[in-house]
Amino acid sequence: MRVISKELFCQTIADIQAQDMRMNEFGDALNKICDTSVVFDVNNLYLTALLRILKEELNDRADIIQWWLYEDVRKCIWYDFQDGRRMRYDMPTAETLYDYLTIPFEKLNLVKEEDEKSDICGGES
């Protein structure tokens, strides 16, 4: 089974982020001239379809792509091992997100927990 290339995935994520920024700017401009709060571009079917395709293509059963795009948290996943070790995988870029979704767990570049608290990252496994 062929998976979408890293380059295409990263460009797609960058395009989604750029479009989201444009829509936010447009919404902010509308709010300046309207008496009430304006919500613009809610339930965008193009975006929904694109995210559905990415999810299917990368077998993203946990909706990590949507979480990565839209949750305002540090982008990392924590792993608690049976021997008591705690490690995390940082994914601050679309490239590292792609790696998380495509590379076997054993090959991920995990970082050992130092003095950081788990609540600064976006989730646990």
Side-chain angles (χ1 to χ4, degrees), residues 2-104:
R2 188 168 186 269
V3 175
I4 185 174
S5 72
K6 184 185 267 191
E7 294 76 22
L8 179 56
F9 176 81
C10 292
Q11 183 59 55
T12 302
I13 294 295
D15 289 346
I16 289 170
Q17 290 173 317
Q19 185 64 27
D20 284 345
M21 187 175 292
R22 287 179 185 167
M23 291 298 99
N24 288 336
E25 290 172 0
F26 184 69
D28 290 345
L30 280 177
N31 283 327
K32 289 179 182 177
I33 60 171
C34 295
D35 290 339
T36 184
S37 180
V38 176
V39 179
F40 182 76
D41 205 39
V42 174
N43 298 322
N44 179 318
L45 296 177
Y46 291 120
L47 177 59
T48 300
L50 179 56
L51 290 172
R52 188 180 317 118
I53 290 169
L54 290 176
K55 178 179 177 155
E56 178 76 19
E57 181 69 15
L58 293 164
N59 196 26
D60 180 16
R61 286 180 252 145
D63 287 322
I64 297 296
I65 297 168
Q66 251 183 298
W67 164 81
W68 191 91
L69 279 166
Y70 298 111
E71 291 296 322
D72 188 21
V73 295
R74 180 175 171 191
K75 307 305 188 213
C76 67
I77 301 290
W78 285 96
Y79 294 94
D80 293 319
F81 295 93
Q82 289 181 347
D83 63 5
R85 288 178 304 141
R86 184 150 216 229
M87 300 183 83
R88 73 175 189 272
Y89 177 71
D90 293 318
M91 51 186 149
T93 65
E95 290 85 0
T96 54
L97 170 62
Y98 181 88
D99 291 345
Y100 175 77
L101 294 166
T102 59
I103 292 177

